[in-house]
Amino acid sequence: MDKNIDNSAREILRTNDKGGFTVPTGGLYPYQWNWDSVFVALGFATFDELRACAEIETLFEAQWEDGMVPHIIFRRDDPDYFPGPRVWQAGDAALPTSGITQPPVAASVINDLWEQSGSEAKGRLEALFPKVLEWHRWFHRYRVPAGIDAVIITHPWESGRDNSPEWDAPSASIDVSSVEPYERRDLQHADAGMRPTKLDYDRYIALVEYGRKARWDHEKIATEGPFRVADVSMTMILLRATRDLISFAEKIGESGVQDELEGYVQQLERGASYLWDENAGTFCSRDTITGEHSGSVTNASFLCFYAGVATVEQQERLAAHWDRISAKVRYMMPSHDPDDSTFDAKRYWRGPIWQVVNYMLAKGFAECGYPAWAERIRDDSRELIAEHGFNEAFCPVTGEGSGGRDFSWTAAMWLAWLGED
Ligand code: DGY
């Protein structure tokens, strides 16, 4: 283990700790983000397990009455970020939030943390069980329609993969003509070439304005809204999280929910089939309005291993993509297919590598009998941080950092996964 890198990683978490919750990075993201916090808990757990519990507890403080856990919590208004609480108008007055959710990695992380924790932390993690269960129920109530059986996102930000080319076609029909004038703040903190475009932002804001006008009525938004895409990453992550929730429930003696959770697993497995694109030979997202697959091979396609759903034939087709992509880039795994015309090695989710996705990929590969892939991902991830620092994301061709610096979840991945001997 490299002690200097370990120390720097801990220092980043301490600096970004705003008192029980951690911001992803100063300036660019000055609030608490949902899946960032959960991954960050894995990093804290390596040196302060009660602080790790606090990170997830503060996230669930903002859980809505209907069970949704929002994607951003606005504990104060910070002019550095747009769109802030006044634009969203969601959550309650005491704890304003955004009006959408993010990938539900909590059950998986809590299950892992519980295994390695002492009794006090175990008790605090167990107390989160009913809240996580309510969040999973929320997904099944609003976002996993019978017949589709995969998770529908209603805003690209819900996927966390904001500007993936997977959203280009489904976003094309979003009406941006009446978007209120706004000023982007992200460009004060990051290079424009590494961020979503103006057209992307117009669409993001149009969807926020739509949700606000709908008073964040998720039944309406998920059945009538302008963006309803069955997302491969959300589906695979929720499927894995449900398996982990079942395992956690067993360990802590929560009987009585197994049948319900097994039913969710079966439904999401059917959803994975809905997302299989036979032509492209990959799992990918699918617009539920048009029925069209994106046809894209992304790092999220490979989360099928983490979710434990790919058949032997599907694995063979994905192996061909792995061989093609890994021969093309120096570092794995790019967020988008380098052979696709929309690939952009520096622009956010259109090419750069994200350490938290690599973490889930490596876990899935190791579990499903692909140890060489898991090792390649881990070696590349280690080298990227050791050579280029704790960046938000990394260029798969040169390894250069992109986006924000001193990034909390990148530091957490070093502590929890990459720095281990
Ligand atoms: C942003 O503001 O760029 C975020 O990714 C939204 O979640």
Side-chain angles (χ1 to χ4, degrees):
M1 237 204 255
D2 186 321
K3 296 289 167 216
N4 287 335
I5 308 184
D6 291 355
N7 287 338
S8 308
R10 282 194 280 267
E11 197 46 42
I12 287 171
L13 294 193
R14 287 195 194 100
T15 304
N16 291 342
D17 180 354
K18 300 300 168 204
F21 74 95
T22 307
V23 298
T25 185
L28 189 57
Y29 303 120
Y31 298 110
Q32 183 173 20
W33 258 261
N34 185 325
W35 70 330
D36 289 75
S37 265
V38 178
F39 283 119
V40 159
L42 286 171
F44 274 122
T46 63
F47 62 98
D48 185 347
E49 62 187 30
L50 297 182
R51 179 62 188 77
C53 295
E55 190 72 33
I56 307 179
E57 288 163 350
T58 53
L59 172 65
F60 276 86
E61 269 169 26
Q63 184 167 32
W64 286 15
E65 263 178 31
D66 65 4
M68 187 184 83
V69 183
H71 106 291
I72 310 177
I73 307 175
F74 302 112
R75 285 200 164 74
R76 60 198 152 74
D77 200 353
D78 191 319
D80 257 355
Y81 184 79
F82 176 85
R86 274 175 289 197
V87 181
W88 286 95
Q89 295 176 20
D92 59 40
L95 201 49
T97 68
S98 70
I100 57 175
T101 194
Q102 249 188 345
V105 287
S108 300
V109 168
I110 289 171
N111 185 41
D112 284 352
L113 290 182
W114 188 89
E115 286 287 342
Q116 66 192 50
S117 292
S119 59
E120 184 176 349
K122 270 191 162 61
R124 285 170 63 173
L125 294 167
E126 286 165 24
L128 287 164
F129 176 81
K131 299 177 189 215
V132 178
L133 178 64
E134 281 310 314
W135 190 18
H136 283 226
R137 286 177 172 154
W138 177 86
F139 273 106
H140 284 271
R141 199 172 315 123
Y142 295 108
R143 296 303 186 81
V144 188
I148 287 177
D149 302 319
V151 181
I152 288 181
I153 56 168
T154 60
H155 193 299
W157 284 342
E158 289 197 309
S159 69
R161 302 184 295 129
D162 302 8
N163 67 339
S164 168
E166 290 213 284
W167 321 134
D168 290 0
S171 296
S173 53
I174 297 171
D175 178 11
V176 296
S177 60
S178 49
V179 168
E180 291 161 17
Y182 65 92
E183 191 192 329
R184 284 176 69 169
R185 301 287 157 78
D186 58 317
L187 299 181
Q188 291 166 3
H189 304 285
D191 187 310
M194 298 174 178
R195 295 288 303 168
T197 61
K198 158 131 179 47
L199 177 59
D200 290 328
Y201 255 81
D202 284 352
R203 290 168 172 167
Y204 300 155
I205 302 310
L207 290 175
V208 172
E209 289 176 359
Y210 171 83
R212 189 180 67 210
K213 282 187 194 117
R215 297 179 176 276
W216 301 111
D217 170 352
H218 278 285
E219 188 158 349
K220 177 179 164 70
I221 296 168
T223 52
E224 298 171 21
F227 186 87
R228 286 175 272 141
V229 182
D231 171 16
V232 66
S233 53
M234 278 286 213
T235 304
M236 299 301 176
I237 287 171
L238 184 62
L239 177 47
R240 171 59 185 248
T242 311
R243 297 192 202 282
D244 290 333
L245 196 57
I246 291 172
S247 151
F248 186 48
E250 272 165 15
K251 285 177 206 151
I252 67 174
E254 281 287 348
S255 51
V257 291
Q258 304 292 337
D259 288 352
E260 177 187 356
L261 293 175
E262 291 291 354
Y264 293 163
V265 165
Q266 284 160 19
Q267 189 179 9
L268 292 167
E269 285 175 343
R270 291 195 296 277
S273 301
Y274 174 84
L275 298 175
W276 177 256
D277 181 347
E278 184 61 25
N279 276 338
T282 191
F283 291 101
C284 59
S285 300
R286 189 165 172 187
D287 189 342
T288 66
I289 300 174
T290 62
E292 293 293 320
H293 285 279
S294 76
S296 295
V297 183
T298 65
N299 52 356
S301 304
F302 285 79
L303 289 174
C304 60
F305 294 94
Y306 178 74
V309 277
T311 63
V312 173
E313 292 73 27
Q314 289 169 334
Q315 292 185 25
E316 280 166 7
R317 303 227 27 212
L318 286 161
H321 290 305
W322 172 276
D323 291 345
R324 181 175 58 73
I325 293 170
S326 59
K328 186 108 188 185
V329 295
R330 165 65 189 83
Y331 300 95
M332 289 293 267
M333 170 116 223
S335 46
H336 193 61
D337 187 342
D339 282 325
D340 192 89
S341 61
T342 57
F343 175 79
D344 184 337
K346 298 238 162 61
R347 201 182 284 280
Y348 215 40
W349 289 88
R350 299 176 89 86
I353 294 167
W354 294 79
Q355 297 279 359
V356 293
V357 180
N358 272 5
Y359 164 78
M360 294 185 282
L361 292 177
K363 222 176 206 288
F365 294 159
E367 289 166 356
C368 293
Y370 292 85
W373 294 5
E375 213 173 306
R376 166 86 195 262
I377 291 269
R378 185 161 184 261
D379 289 349
D380 287 0
S381 301
R382 282 173 78 110
E383 190 177 325
L384 286 168
I385 293 178
E387 299 289 319
H388 299 278
F390 293 99
N391 299 288
E392 181 175 7
F394 299 84
C395 171
V397 181
T398 64
E400 209 183 319
S402 59
R405 306 253 160 204
D406 294 341
F407 220 80
S408 297
W409 73 11
T410 309
M413 288 301 101
W414 179 270
L415 292 170
W417 171 47
L418 302 169
E420 285 168 14
D421 287 322

